[in-house]
Amino acid sequence: MRRRFWPLFLLAGLLTGCPAPRATIDPQGPIQAWATGSLERIRPEEPPRPLEPFTLYAARGEVESFQVVLSGPRGVRNARLEFSALRGPGGAVIGTEHLSLYRQHYVEVREPSPSLEEGNRSQGAGWYPDALIPFEAPGGRYRAVPVDVSPGRNQPFWVDIAVPRGAPAGTYEGSYRILAENGSLEGRIRLVVWGFELPLRPSLYSFVPLWRTKSKAARLELLRHRLMPGRVEPEEALEFARDHGLNSIDLGFWSGANAHTCRAKPAPPVAELAAAKAARQVGVPIYNFTFDELDVCPQSLLPEIRAWAANLRAAGVLHLSTLSPRPELLDDGNGRPLVDIFAINAEMYEEAQKNGLWEAARSKGSSFWYYTALINPKTPYAPQWLLDYSPLNWRISTGFLAHNLGFSGVLGWAADHYDPDRGQDPWTDVRYFNAGRAYNGDGLWFYPGREVGWPDRVVPSIRAKWLRDGVEDYEYLRLLRERGLSLRLDGLEQAMARSMRDWQKDPATLEAVRRRIGEVLSQGR
């Protein structure tokens, strides 16, 4: 019986965007394809591999990803990709509507980001797959489909499988097929669905503001990646929390005080803060990101911090700031801290651990979120959020490191930052400059969608997927702890991230430990 395929989208026409000069494609040449996991970057000239069945493991409510790589020694003409449904136990089906496909777009790193630590360095100049063009995007300057592939070059595709919450546990099998003028190839995929479920609303909090595309559609794209878009409009709050996993809201009242200004505006009246909170009250924590990196500022700002903290507390709003937990910030006169959520980087974390203020702040009810920006020369060994650093820098941050070190959230300074004033096109130039140095991809986790025909949306990067997968790792670890199953791991999960310096660099090890945790949770004993 002929296997039926449900075409998701067709591929034909454009070159891949790989950096090689255009070369004549021979549509009679052979084609090659293979599948691989999500924690690997496929460089343009990587040698082809055997086409073998590929197996994934995921919980219900989880999004698990893999890559399909297409190439041909004499090029590929007019290719297209089709997927079948995944069929599982008792006739259960995960249909193609639960699959999202993207073409990976290569961006050039011209100037490597700074490297200050032998064990965690930039992977150097060259071409990196990063932007993920959705197959359903209408297309503009770039489009996912159709596509041609230059001779001897790779064109990787990214596949997200969103496991339905009602899917029975067990093994599901399906196929994908690549067709081109050159011929066709078929591959097999297997998905093992475990017997537990991840919640819609993630346990890890986050703040990832949009700078350039401030639309509802862009905010929803962040939520699809389990990242919170910072400020949310009142009319969106209920829908976002009920249907899309929103777990916290920033009110957006900015003091104006950061490391560059060291000056703060007066705190808003309590009534104004309370009204803004009431308009967004949908059963999730509401906070205000107020002060940014004031550790370098003089102590004279303490009265302003106290005034803002007092008004926020009177309005029932949590106070978040990127500040170290200094003694004067841990007592508002009534034994409570002035800061409810300290967002700190690796240097601030290590200092707070050393001087005892981490535990002092936590004992008074404060929590901690992790952030990083640029590269701190004092802690270059910590995970870095730069495009040309290894994939685990991203995934470990929101997963094993955040959980094991005691962070309840993460903070990114921007999701879609680029500089149009200097003519920057983020689709071809991913540099963020500070003091004359390039920090590739800093603050740019999502690309502007207008270039693919979506002017009011953003396009995810592979790095956004790694952050999302880390948030799901965090959920695995939380479930493991809450169900009292940690002893079954014999410390494997703790060894994944023991400190800012000591964290796992090998993707295969992370995948093996994640699979072991999934097996333990699925067995439930």
Side-chain angles (χ1 to χ4, degrees), residues 303-317:
E304 287 85 349
I305 295 174
R306 286 187 175 278
W308 274 84
N311 285 15
L312 289 168
R313 181 152 291 156
V317 177

Side-chain angles (χ1 to χ4, degrees), residues 41-46 106 123-129 154:
R41 284 190 173 112
I42 304 300
R43 297 301 183 100
E45 296 180 343
E46 185 148 345
Y106 284 94
Q123 295 183 328
W127 293 86
Y128 288 71
N154 293 319

Side-chain angles (χ1 to χ4, degrees), residues 392 400 496 504-515:
L392 283 193
F400 287 91
M496 292 297 299
Q504 181 56 241
K505 310 297 194 301
D506 178 33
T509 300
L510 184 144
E511 291 287 9
V513 171
R514 172 188 169 275
R515 180 177 172 184

Side-chain angles (χ1 to χ4, degrees), residues 41-357:
R41 284 190 173 112
I42 304 300
R43 297 301 183 100
E45 296 180 343
E46 185 148 345
R49 305 174 196 172
L51 178 60
E52 299 175 339
F54 191 78
T55 302
L56 302 97
Y57 302 83
R60 292 188 288 262
E62 182 175 10
V63 179
E64 185 63 5
S65 307
F66 72 106
Q67 303 177 76
V68 176
V69 187
L70 171 63
S71 66
R74 301 205 298 267
V76 183
R77 174 75 71 194
N78 206 23
R80 62 189 187 272
L81 177 65
E82 299 176 351
F83 267 80
S84 74
L86 303 177
R87 301 189 179 279
V93 176
I94 298 177
T96 55
E97 69 273 17
H98 297 286
L99 275 66
S100 299
L101 272 70
Y102 306 83
R103 178 172 73 82
Q104 298 182 30
H105 170 82
Y106 284 94
V107 295
E108 186 179 13
V109 169
R110 305 166 189 171
E111 306 172 48
S113 301
S115 290
L116 306 175
E117 170 73 18
E118 188 60 38
N120 192 31
R121 303 179 65 84
S122 164
Q123 295 183 328
W127 293 86
Y128 288 71
D130 192 54
L132 294 175
I133 304 173
F135 274 28
E136 69 268 25
R141 178 177 161 203
Y142 301 107
R143 43 182 190 171
V145 293
V147 65
D148 290 347
V149 184
S150 297
R153 298 284 163 152
N154 293 319
Q155 176 56 71
F157 299 95
W158 188 277
V159 184
D160 278 348
I161 303 177
V163 182
R165 297 187 177 280
T171 300
Y172 293 71
E173 295 191 2
S175 302
Y176 61 88
R177 186 162 56 172
I178 295 171
L179 300 97
E181 290 183 21
N182 309 55
S184 65
L185 284 176
E186 181 176 315
R188 300 287 301 173
I189 57 172
R190 182 182 299 111
L191 171 67
V192 176
V193 176
W194 281 317
F196 65 97
E197 184 173 312
L198 302 190
L200 173 66
R201 191 174 294 174
S203 300
L204 186 74
Y205 298 111
S206 56
F207 170 81
V208 187
L210 291 154
W211 286 51
R212 301 297 177 190
T213 309
K214 300 181 179 181
S215 64
K216 178 181 179 180
R219 289 189 281 274
L220 282 170
E221 188 64 33
L222 266 65
L223 286 167
R224 290 187 191 100
H225 291 81
R226 296 185 173 266
L227 300 172
M228 304 302 116
R231 192 175 184 187
V232 172
E233 298 303 323
E235 62 273 16
E236 302 168 343
L238 178 59
E239 175 194 348
F240 284 7
R242 182 190 60 216
D243 301 333
H244 302 289
L246 180 75
N247 69 6
S248 55
I249 298 173
D250 170 47
L251 280 191
F253 289 91
W254 174 234
S255 71
N258 59 28
H260 302 290
T261 64
C262 290
R263 294 187 305 275
K265 296 182 292 188
V270 173
E272 185 177 357
L273 293 167
K277 178 190 176 186
R280 297 169 174 82
Q281 189 65 68
V282 291
V284 302
I286 296 178
Y287 64 89
N288 194 74
F289 181 16
T290 310
F291 300 98
D292 186 26
E293 296 188 326
L294 296 190
D295 286 6
V296 301
C297 295
Q299 296 292 331
S300 58
L301 273 176
L302 185 58
E304 287 85 349
I305 295 174
R306 286 187 175 278
W308 274 84
N311 285 15
L312 289 168
R313 181 152 291 156
V317 177
L318 298 171
H319 173 202
L320 180 151
S321 287
T322 53
L323 291 169
S324 293
R326 304 193 303 264
E328 63 270 19
L329 299 178
L330 301 187
D331 192 344
D332 64 355
N334 295 304
R336 298 177 63 184
L338 295 172
V339 180
D340 299 294
I341 306 168
F342 288 96
I344 61 176
N345 61 22
E347 180 190 1
M348 297 156 76
Y349 166 80
E350 291 184 343
E351 182 61 26
Q353 286 282 357
K354 182 179 177 180
N355 60 27
L357 291 174

